[in-house]
């Protein structure tokens, strides 16, 4: 618990209105690839116009690339990297939610390195080669509160041909140099996605708490984040203009970006990556919600980390919690309140007999997260979690 290694050189601007300070910062280049999603969120929130104004104020040229989609595929990463090369961009401004921020890590690498992204991916069919050239610097501006990707050096990218969804990155050069978390930009996120993203942030922190690598600093940060998300997520879901709620959920999400650098998440994330690798229309947060109760129950039944579950239950609104099962009560209550307790795998095309396929894929593509589990989880047990969670 007293040993950890924390490195995060990201300059973090956090708080409502902070995007208005971007033009005052020392930016890492003269021409940016302004990476956004193919959807409407950046425009609808006003964030795109504000960002463009700030870049102009800083005397920075930019080229907009609007090709990123949910569960981003490697082909989109390669397209964006080519745009950066063709236009002589010397840094990236990633403006968007988790898909955009995740993609930016890979685009930064592939804008300066030869070959295909999967040449550098570790796990699954990735070739695991080291990067040859230094990636482009990144500036991140998050429009959602979910991934914590704005301050870490990992991105999750899908290979649609091989049904693989794998984390890419991890090297110090891929850590963003500047991050802006401005909750005012999150007001337009629909209630459903506010919930999905909020639970993604919650699970980043709960998995850190469950991990066998948890330490004094990561636990302290994770409990703070869990408490803030549990207290304020429902308010943000009910009223997207509740700026106080947006701020506290955003805090919990950004803190997760730190906790995940201190302590790995667990196989819950590997399992969801397998789910959305086979069913790309499934939002990441929704998939995590679907399996969350049964995933936690597996370790609770084995008394793998009872004290951690009790600590989490206490900060999630059950101050008198004294048994690990209280965490399931707190988690279920929050999911029911936010209207996401009845999500069904079958609504996204899953069949019950996919369970073992998903279990094997989870270990083959992101097996490293299984090593962080508080006790062993076999393929058969993993498939059993999918089966019990299936509806």
């Amino acid at each position: 618990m007293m040993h950890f290694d924390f490195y995060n050189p990201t300059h973090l601007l956090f708080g409502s209105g902070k995007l208005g300070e971007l033009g005052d910062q020392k930016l890492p280049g003269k021409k940016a690839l302004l990476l956004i999603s193919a959807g409407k969120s950046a425009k609808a929130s006003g964030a795109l116009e504000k960002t463009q104004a700030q870049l102009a104020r800083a005397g920075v040229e930019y080229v907009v690339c609007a090709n990123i989609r949910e569960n981003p595929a490697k082909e989109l990463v390669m397209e964006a990297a080519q745009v950066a090369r063709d236009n002589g961009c010397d840094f990236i401004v990633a403006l968007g939610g988790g898909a955009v921020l995740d993609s930016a890590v890979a685009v930064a690498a592939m804008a300066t390195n030869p070959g295909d992204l999967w040449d550098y991916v570790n796990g699954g069919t990735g070739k695991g080669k080291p990067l040859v050239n230094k990636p482009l610097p990144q500036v991140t501006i998050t429009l959602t509160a979910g991934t914590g990707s704005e301050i870490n050096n990992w991105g999750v990218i899908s290979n649609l041909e091989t049904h693989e969804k794998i984390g890419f990155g991890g090297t110090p050069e891929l850590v963003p140099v500047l991050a802006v978390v401005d909750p005012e930009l999150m007001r337009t996120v629909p209630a459903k996605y506010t919930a999905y993203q909020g639970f993604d942030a919650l699970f980043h922190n709960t998995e850190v708490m469950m991990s066998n690598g948890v330490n004094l600093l990561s636990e302290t940060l994770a409990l703070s984040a869990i408490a803030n998300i549990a207290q304020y997520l429902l308010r943000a879901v009910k009223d997207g203009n509740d700026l106080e709620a947006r701020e506290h959920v955003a805090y919990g999400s950004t803190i997760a970006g730190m906790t995940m650098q201190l302590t790995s998440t667990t196989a819950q994330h590997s399992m969801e990556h397998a789910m959305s690798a086979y069913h790309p229309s499934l939002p990441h947060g929704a998939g995590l919600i679907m399996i969350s109760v049964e995933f936690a129950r597996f370790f609770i039944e084995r008394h793998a980390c009872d004290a951690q579950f009790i600590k989490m239950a206490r900060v999630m609104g059950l101050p008198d919690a004294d048994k690990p099962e209280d965490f399931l009560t707190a988690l279920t209550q929050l999911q029911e309140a936010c209207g996401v307790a009845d999500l069904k795998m079958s609504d996204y095309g899953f069949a019950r007999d996919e369970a073992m396929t998903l279990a094997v894929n989870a270990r083959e593509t992101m097996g490293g997260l299984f090593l962080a589990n508080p006790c062993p989880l076999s393929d058969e047990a993993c498939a059993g979690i999918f089966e019990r969670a299936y509806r």
Side-chain angles (χ1 to χ4, degrees):
M1 284 284 286
M2 293 302 296
H3 294 266
F4 52 82
D5 184 345
F6 183 59
Y7 173 75
N8 192 325
T10 306
H11 178 188
L12 174 63
L13 297 176
F14 185 99
S16 297
K18 282 294 186 179
L19 181 56
E21 299 178 15
L22 179 63
D24 299 326
Q25 309 305 312
K26 182 179 179 181
L27 298 179
K30 295 296 184 181
K31 189 171 185 179
L33 179 76
L34 180 48
L35 188 66
I36 63 174
S37 77
K40 302 176 181 179
S41 58
K43 295 179 181 178
S45 66
L48 178 59
E49 183 178 356
K50 292 177 181 178
T51 300
Q52 290 171 319
Q54 291 295 313
L55 291 175
R57 180 176 155 204
V60 169
E61 296 182 60
Y62 59 86
V63 175
V64 176
C65 180
N67 75 328
I68 304 302
R69 302 179 186 278
E70 193 165 36
N71 292 316
K74 73 179 182 74
E75 288 78 10
L76 301 181
V77 167
M78 297 304 298
E79 286 178 10
Q82 189 63 51
V83 173
R85 287 194 295 270
D86 290 346
N87 288 276
C89 298
D90 54 5
F91 75 108
I92 294 172
V93 174
L95 174 67
V100 172
L101 302 181
D102 278 13
S103 298
V105 174
V107 174
M110 296 315 301
T112 60
N113 282 278
D116 183 78
L117 174 64
W118 236 245
D119 293 338
Y120 306 99
V121 165
N122 289 292
T125 61
K127 296 180 181 179
K129 295 180 180 179
L131 294 176
V132 178
N133 301 314
K134 186 177 180 179
L136 294 183
Q138 300 167 68
V139 173
T140 56
I141 306 166
T142 183
L143 300 184
T144 63
T147 67
S149 298
E150 62 271 13
I151 60 168
N152 69 35
N153 54 359
W154 287 96
V156 181
I157 308 298
S158 295
N159 186 330
L160 300 180
E161 292 182 0
T162 58
H163 297 295
E164 294 175 307
K165 184 178 177 182
I166 303 180
F168 166 81
T171 61
E173 297 83 6
L174 287 168
V175 177
V177 298
L178 174 65
V180 180
V181 182
D182 185 342
E184 286 187 358
L185 306 177
M186 303 173 187
R187 292 174 184 260
T188 57
V189 178
K192 177 174 70 173
Y193 284 94
T194 296
Y196 294 167
Q197 294 155 6
F199 275 99
D200 185 16
L202 179 73
F203 294 135
H204 287 152
N205 290 291
T206 60
E207 290 179 55
V208 162
M209 286 292 294
M210 295 164 61
S211 172
N212 57 31
V214 69
N215 57 63
L216 180 62
L217 182 56
S218 61
E219 177 174 296
T220 301
L221 292 172
L223 285 174
S224 174
I226 291 167
N228 276 269
I229 295 169
Q231 182 176 350
Y232 288 96
L233 180 57
L234 177 58
R235 280 176 50 179
V237 170
K238 285 185 172 181
D239 179 6
N241 288 309
D242 184 338
L243 193 54
E244 181 184 26
R246 291 286 190 190
E247 289 171 337
H248 283 270
V249 176
Y251 165 81
S253 176
T254 298
I255 288 297
M258 299 178 188
T259 64
M260 288 186 289
Q261 291 177 56
L262 286 157
T263 298
S264 170
T265 54
T266 65
Q268 182 176 348
H269 262 72
S270 301
M271 291 170 67
E272 196 295 316
H273 290 165
M275 294 168 71
S276 48
Y278 279 90
H279 300 271
S281 65
L282 174 67
H284 175 57
L288 288 169
I289 292 167
M290 290 173 183
I291 62 174
S292 59
V293 171
E294 293 304 327
F295 183 82
R297 194 191 311 276
F298 175 86
F299 298 105
I300 288 171
E301 289 177 346
R302 285 153 184 79
H303 299 286
C305 54
D306 288 357
Q308 301 302 91
F309 284 115
I310 293 171
K311 291 174 187 176
M312 290 190 286
R314 287 176 177 172
V315 301
M316 290 178 70
L318 299 178
D320 297 324
D322 59 2
K323 55 186 183 299
E325 291 81 2
D326 291 333
F327 172 74
L328 296 181
T329 300
L331 178 60
T332 301
Q333 287 177 351
L334 185 59
Q335 291 179 352
E336 290 174 346
C338 291
V340 296
D342 296 325
L343 292 173
K344 297 178 181 178
M345 292 186 196
S346 56
D347 287 343
Y348 290 89
F350 287 85
R352 189 184 295 272
D353 61 9
E354 287 184 72
M356 184 54 76
T357 297
L358 296 176
V360 171
N361 179 281
R363 193 182 301 275
E364 288 182 345
T365 57
M366 293 195 67
L369 297 187
F370 280 77
L371 301 177
N373 290 338
C375 73
L377 175 64
S378 67
D379 288 349
E380 291 74 18
C382 186
I385 291 173
F386 281 125
E387 290 170 353
R388 288 189 294 276
Y390 182 84
R391 283 183 292 189

